[in-house]
Amino acid sequence: MNSFSDRIKALFWGAFFKLSLINWTLFRLRFVLGIKEKTLKKASGIRAAAAYRQALQVPAYREFLEKNQCHPTQFSDLPVTSKYDYIQPYLKQQRESALYLNGTIPLKSKRDTSTGTTGKSTPWYRGQKEQSHVEKMSALAGKVALHNQPYTFVNGFAEGPWVTGISATLATCHDPNGAICVIGPVNKEIYACIKELIRIRPPGHPIVVGGYPPHIRAVVDMAVEEGFPLHEHTLIGLVGGEAMSEDLRDLIVCQKGRTGFKQCYSSYGASDLDINIGYESDFEIELRKLCHDLKHKELADELFGKNAFEPMIFRYDPLNYYIETDEEQNLLFTCVRLDRISPRIRYNLEDRGKIMAYSDVSAILKKRDIKMSQKSQTNWPFLFVWGRQGSQISFRGSKVAPENLGEAIRLLGIAAKIEHYGFYQYETKDGKTVTEILLEFHDDKDVVSADKRLLKDILGRMAEVNSDFVEAIDKCPDNEKPVLRIFRSGEGPMGMQQKKYPMRKQQYIFVAGDEFIPQQGKLQTLYEG
């Protein structure tokens, strides 16, 4: 980890990476060169070791190593860091400067914060070089998707101290091809801006609309209700902040008989790290849709593991991040760029996931004689992301994810009728755990028509997509089975949460004591099996 030759190689790969960010031509050269997969993997590890050596200049990191009595001989010997055991103790002691190189937060820095979805917002400072590199990488990623065309970006992400919105704005401002309309997460304003741009821009001009998935879906719903033909124009969605199910993507992208965008891509990032760590292209979207098809369940099992719901599928640049997983499938991130003023070494976001080489995925597809219609743009590795630990409920020993409920709704063909869905779990006075399925409908007529049969159908479909759940539900007494609670539009806990906190990630799981537990809303009907 400290050999002289590896230090020289780290300098070479660092210079190569910086060179590739200078302009569009040099960035494309990376792909023309066709650097081998094994070479990239080794270069990523060498750069990660260099990032560790730089982190020794951080007082907090040195103290963290001493506390863990760490004397590493290889990178995997280093202790795992996280917001809870590495960042927050120094914030509580008001020693945040110790988290930065040489114990100093530069005067020329940018302050971001987390959204505070899981508690109090956490501040993050970013240096000038770091911010510049992130903006350049974001702009270049946009050029890949748009083939270097001029475009207009409608920014529907939350602005202010939250990292995604302002970083996306700055990246677009520095892109000679990009025009910017900064709106924020206000659905009606986003929709109005889209219609204005369609009116004033040349025919076929690409309009990229960024925002959180539920907001972009709401914009398309407005167009559907009004009969406005979004599909006749070049509209591309760019979403982030939370996972996007394929049924939700289908409600955003134009389908037969329903208007919508040309395509909708998801980006993976975190305020602790960077925006756009992982990206989607048409290849990843096609692969994920295949895995959602029950005809290809064995493909999904081989890629993700049995009984695992389908994760988001991204690709990531190994010259930007070195990513590992632990025994519990926590993703561990090391930013291998040396521009960070607060380095991240083996940083645990508490996102569950898996990494897989492009050659391994290709071999699995070939073995199953699956020919993809979309071509992969790169040999970069895959990043499968299930989401945060605790983003599932436990039902009689089985793990059930909101994505399982979303997939059941899609299979029933009622996704367009459902505005929001989620779970609510609580204990009764006698210690029994109650599991409620929460559905918020678009139209009142669908609220009226819902009944016990809908609950039975949902449970049946959830059993199809989660074999652990089918065993749990088959052996479950009727009085302990999940119940169904339905709401009118905007009256459920999911809708109320989104309205009050539009900058936050959508909440899908509620427990007693949460701000928007169902008893606080205008309740509709509770159906029991």
Side-chain angles (χ1 to χ4, degrees):
M1 191 163 67
N2 290 299
S3 70
F4 179 75
S5 63
D6 277 356
R7 289 175 182 244
I8 297 299
K9 290 175 185 176
L11 290 173
F12 166 79
W13 285 111
F16 176 81
F17 181 77
K18 287 181 182 179
L19 185 67
S20 71
L21 298 183
I22 290 177
N23 57 42
W24 172 238
T25 301
L26 290 171
F27 183 73
R28 286 189 299 169
L29 183 62
R30 278 193 62 183
F31 304 98
V32 174
L33 290 173
I35 303 171
K36 292 182 179 179
E37 200 174 58
K38 289 182 179 179
T39 303
L40 282 173
K41 183 177 180 180
K42 189 171 183 180
S44 186
I46 289 170
R47 294 200 75 196
Y52 154 70
R53 291 192 294 270
Q54 184 197 49
L56 295 176
Q57 300 172 43
V58 178
Y61 190 66
R62 291 198 302 270
E63 292 175 17
F64 186 77
L65 293 178
E66 291 173 7
K67 179 182 176 182
N68 286 274
Q69 298 180 339
C70 181
H71 305 286
T73 58
Q74 55 188 1
F75 193 79
S76 58
D77 292 338
L78 294 171
V80 172
T81 58
S82 74
K83 181 167 69 174
Y84 305 101
D85 65 1
Y86 176 60
I87 303 293
Q88 287 186 347
Y90 287 89
L91 297 181
K92 289 177 181 178
Q93 299 168 24
Q94 296 187 346
R95 293 183 60 208
E96 48 265 74
S97 295
L99 294 164
Y100 295 82
L101 292 171
N102 303 313
T104 303
I105 301 174
L107 292 176
K108 188 69 174 178
S109 57
K110 174 177 174 285
R111 181 183 184 270
D112 297 320
T113 71
S114 61
T115 59
T117 304
T118 57
K120 186 179 178 181
S121 295
T122 303
W124 315 97
Y125 287 88
R126 305 181 195 278
Q128 205 170 3
K129 289 182 180 179
E130 173 185 354
Q131 185 64 27
S132 176
H133 278 166
V134 171
E135 291 165 15
K136 285 179 182 177
M137 287 186 291
S138 298
L140 289 169
K143 289 180 184 291
V144 171
L146 296 165
H147 307 290
N148 204 26
Q149 297 180 79
Y151 66 95
T152 300
F153 179 50
V154 179
N155 191 349
F157 290 108
E159 294 293 316
W162 303 286
V163 60
T164 304
I166 191 64
S167 293
T169 295
L170 292 172
T172 308
C173 288
H174 293 161
D175 184 353
N177 281 347
I180 183 77
C181 300
V182 182
I183 305 297
V186 184
N187 302 339
K188 289 182 179 179
E189 293 298 324
I190 295 172
Y191 182 45
C193 185
I194 290 171
K195 293 199 292 182
E196 176 186 307
L197 290 170
I198 287 172
R199 192 175 67 251
I200 66 174
R201 296 298 193 210
H205 177 78
I207 300 170
V208 180
V209 185
Y212 307 112
H215 292 257
I216 304 302
R217 184 246 170 112
V219 169
V220 175
D221 286 341
M222 290 177 190
V224 170
E225 186 174 348
E226 191 178 291
F228 188 83
L230 293 175
H231 60 281
E232 295 179 1
H233 309 279
T234 309
L235 284 164
I236 299 170
L238 175 63
V239 299
E242 62 178 82
M244 176 171 62
S245 62
E246 289 307 308
D247 65 288
L248 179 52
R249 196 196 307 269
D250 288 344
L251 291 171
I252 293 172
V253 176
C254 172
Q255 304 292 321
K256 185 177 180 180
R258 178 184 168 90
T259 194
F261 289 15
K262 295 292 184 187
Q263 188 52 281
C264 184
Y265 300 102
S266 188
S267 174
Y268 175 71
S271 58
D272 316 36
L273 302 170
D274 290 319
I275 62 171
N276 208 32
I277 296 170
Y279 76 92
E280 275 186 332
S281 72
D282 292 328
F283 181 87
E284 288 75 50
I285 292 172
E286 182 184 356
L287 179 59
R288 190 169 187 240
K289 285 187 178 296
L290 277 175
C291 293
H292 269 265
D293 189 334
L294 292 178
K295 292 186 297 184
H296 294 288
K297 188 177 186 309
E298 290 183 356
L299 169 65
D301 288 347
E302 191 164 0
L303 289 173
F304 315 132
K306 289 189 176 182
N307 300 325
F309 63 88
E310 284 66 33
M312 295 298 297
I313 301 178
F314 300 104
R315 304 292 276 280
Y316 73 95
D317 184 354
L319 293 186
N320 185 29
Y321 270 88
Y322 180 73
I323 305 179
E324 311 163 85
T325 54
D326 64 13
E327 292 179 356
E328 298 177 350
Q329 288 192 310
N330 287 301
L331 291 167
L332 309 179
F333 297 86
T334 299
C335 180
V336 301
R337 303 190 320 271
L338 301 184
D339 55 34
R340 294 194 68 107
I341 59 174
S342 182
R344 296 286 177 269
I345 308 297
R346 307 198 79 206
Y347 189 81
N348 183 4
L349 274 178
E350 297 198 343
D351 273 356
R352 290 179 59 248
K354 180 180 179 181
I355 54 175
M356 186 174 282
Y358 169 70
S359 58
D360 291 338
V361 174
S362 297
I364 291 171
L365 292 171
K366 185 177 181 180
K367 181 180 72 174
R368 298 189 174 279
D369 197 28
I370 296 174
K371 294 180 175 61
M372 305 284 285
S373 62
Q374 299 294 333
K375 185 179 178 181
S376 176
Q377 299 174 341
T378 177
N379 64 350
W380 289 357
F382 286 86
L383 173 62
F384 304 147
V385 181
W386 281 276
R388 292 290 162 96
Q389 297 281 14
S391 58
Q392 301 172 331
I393 63 168
S394 176
F395 178 75
R396 296 179 64 83
S398 67
K399 290 184 178 180
V400 183
E403 286 82 357
N404 296 145
L405 175 56
E407 183 69 1
I409 291 168
R410 185 187 70 83
L411 291 172
L412 287 171
I414 60 171
K417 297 180 179 181
I418 306 297
E419 190 163 352
H420 299 290
Y421 57 82
F423 292 113
Y424 173 44
Q425 281 193 320
Y426 60 94
E427 283 194 6
T428 61
K429 291 181 180 179
D430 59 2
K432 185 179 80 170
T433 298
V434 177
T435 300
E436 294 188 0
I437 294 171
L438 311 177
L439 297 183
E440 188 175 327
F441 285 88
H442 271 295
D443 298 327
D444 287 354
K445 63 181 180 181
D446 293 317
V447 173
V448 174
S449 63
D451 54 21
K452 290 184 179 180
R453 178 69 188 180
L454 177 59
L455 172 60
K456 183 178 180 180
D457 289 344
I458 288 174
L459 295 178
R461 291 296 190 175
M462 285 174 63
E464 286 182 20
V465 299
N466 186 331
S467 57
D468 281 347
F469 179 73
V470 70
E471 292 184 23
I473 199 74
D474 283 348
K475 299 175 182 177
C476 181
D478 287 343
N479 64 348
E480 293 184 17
K481 288 183 178 179
V483 298
L484 173 64
R485 195 182 292 276
I486 61 175
F487 304 86
R488 291 188 173 92
S489 176
E491 294 181 355
M494 298 78 65
M496 290 191 293
Q497 182 251 357
Q498 182 180 297
K499 184 177 181 181
K500 184 172 181 180
Y501 302 113
M503 77 296 292
R504 288 187 179 179
K505 298 175 184 178
Q506 179 72 59
Q507 187 172 344
Y508 293 93
I509 298 175
F510 297 83
V511 296
D514 282 352
E515 183 176 2
F516 299 111
I517 56 175
Q519 283 81 350
Q520 290 179 303
K522 297 177 182 178
L523 299 184
Q524 296 302 317
T525 309
L526 183 69
Y527 293 106
E528 299 179 356

